[in-house]
Amino acid sequence: RHLSVAAKSALMLSLVFLLFFVYNSSKYFAYSFLIVVPFLSFGILFAVNAVLRFAERGSVHPASVLVTAALMVVLALFVNSNFSNAHKITDKEAVQPRFAKIINAEKDPTLLNFMTLDMGFYTYANLMPPTKYFYIPNIPAEKDNGIRKSQIDLLESAQIQFIVIREYQQERRTELRFPVLTERYMLVDDAQQKYEGNIDIYYRLYKLKEA
């Protein structure tokens, strides 16, 4: 009610552009919805404000305000799979702390997410990425400006001590695609974990072979 027309227009346009460019892309990921979550606060405020107006007129009981707000929060947190799936894996079950224990057993270890997105291993191992291209973003190989090649060069020059990969199948296809992985590194641990609640992901940790 207290926002200017320009401010309201800017908010609406930003929401429209977000929805258009995210959901009009060639790929969709469940977590893409998270960028829209901040806008939900405006909807909650609008709904609560509307109920308050009716309460002031005596047509709605004040308790309805609390019920409305609580219902909207519950729907946002528990119906949305981004939030519900986040509680299905504990630290004891997660692969990140398991790999981090192996990595941190070494003195001054280095780590690289090879040919994959960042998966939280740097955070759990309390490590800073040792190189500029420490993960692979969601862009085609032909448009990555040499990101993938730079990671292969890092493996060939043996600059990284630990390598983490993830695959959607049990077979080690990354090893077949990149022979340098087994030439320079050895598999020290692997684990299976659910992704987005129902997708089986296979994580593998490699360590640099001793010269």
Side-chain angles (χ1 to χ4, degrees), residues 131-198:
T131 181
K132 180 179 180 180
Y133 300 123
F134 60 92
Y135 77 104
I136 300 297
N138 281 324
I139 56 177
E142 61 273 13
K143 297 181 180 179
D144 73 355
N145 199 26
I147 295 177
R148 287 167 173 80
K149 184 181 183 304
S150 70
Q151 287 206 342
I152 297 173
D153 292 341
L154 287 171
L155 267 64
E156 290 178 342
S157 59
Q159 295 184 42
I160 307 297
Q161 186 176 15
F162 287 97
I163 304 295
V164 174
I165 67 170
R166 74 172 185 177
E167 299 181 289
Y168 290 90
Q169 61 281 320
Q170 195 167 6
E171 296 81 13
R172 302 178 190 174
R173 296 184 182 179
T174 303
E175 293 181 359
L176 298 177
R177 291 175 57 201
F178 306 98
V180 65
L181 185 59
T182 51
E183 292 171 3
R184 293 282 189 175
Y185 294 83
M186 60 180 179
L187 181 69
V188 292
D189 198 6
D190 60 357
Q192 179 183 343
Q193 185 170 289
K194 292 290 184 181
Y195 176 70
E196 293 187 353
N198 57 0

Side-chain angles (χ1 to χ4, degrees), residues 23-204:
Y23 290 97
N24 195 44
S25 62
S26 58
K27 285 189 176 182
Y28 168 74
F29 298 93
Y31 55 75
S32 300
F33 175 77
L34 293 176
I35 64 171
V36 185
V37 171
F39 291 93
L40 296 179
S41 60
F42 296 104
I44 293 175
L45 289 174
F46 175 82
V48 172
N49 185 54
V51 175
L52 283 173
R53 289 182 182 180
F54 283 111
E56 289 175 358
R57 298 171 187 172
S59 56
V60 174
H61 195 279
S64 300
V65 178
L66 295 176
V67 173
T68 302
L71 179 61
M72 297 188 75
V73 170
V74 168
L75 289 174
L77 294 181
F78 297 100
V79 175
N80 188 329
S81 62
N82 289 286
F83 296 101
S84 59
N85 290 338
H87 302 285
K88 291 183 177 179
I89 300 177
T90 64
D91 279 350
K92 291 183 178 180
E93 300 170 327
V95 65
Q96 285 81 0
R98 172 174 161 175
F99 283 9
K101 185 176 181 180
I102 299 173
I103 295 168
N104 289 328
E106 301 292 327
K107 183 180 179 180
D108 300 323
T110 51
L111 175 66
L112 177 68
N113 288 316
F114 185 63
M115 297 297 159
T116 184
L117 291 166
D118 181 26
M119 301 167 289
F121 290 100
Y122 294 112
T123 301
Y124 268 92
N126 196 28
L127 294 175
M128 288 293 292
T131 181
K132 180 179 180 180
Y133 300 123
F134 60 92
Y135 77 104
I136 300 297
N138 281 324
I139 56 177
E142 61 273 13
K143 297 181 180 179
D144 73 355
N145 199 26
I147 295 177
R148 287 167 173 80
K149 184 181 183 304
S150 70
Q151 287 206 342
I152 297 173
D153 292 341
L154 287 171
L155 267 64
E156 290 178 342
S157 59
Q159 295 184 42
I160 307 297
Q161 186 176 15
F162 287 97
I163 304 295
V164 174
I165 67 170
R166 74 172 185 177
E167 299 181 289
Y168 290 90
Q169 61 281 320
Q170 195 167 6
E171 296 81 13
R172 302 178 190 174
R173 296 184 182 179
T174 303
E175 293 181 359
L176 298 177
R177 291 175 57 201
F178 306 98
V180 65
L181 185 59
T182 51
E183 292 171 3
R184 293 282 189 175
Y185 294 83
M186 60 180 179
L187 181 69
V188 292
D189 198 6
D190 60 357
Q192 179 183 343
Q193 185 170 289
K194 292 290 184 181
Y195 176 70
E196 293 187 353
N198 57 0
I199 303 174
D200 288 327
I201 297 292
Y202 298 89
Y203 296 89
R204 297 186 172 93

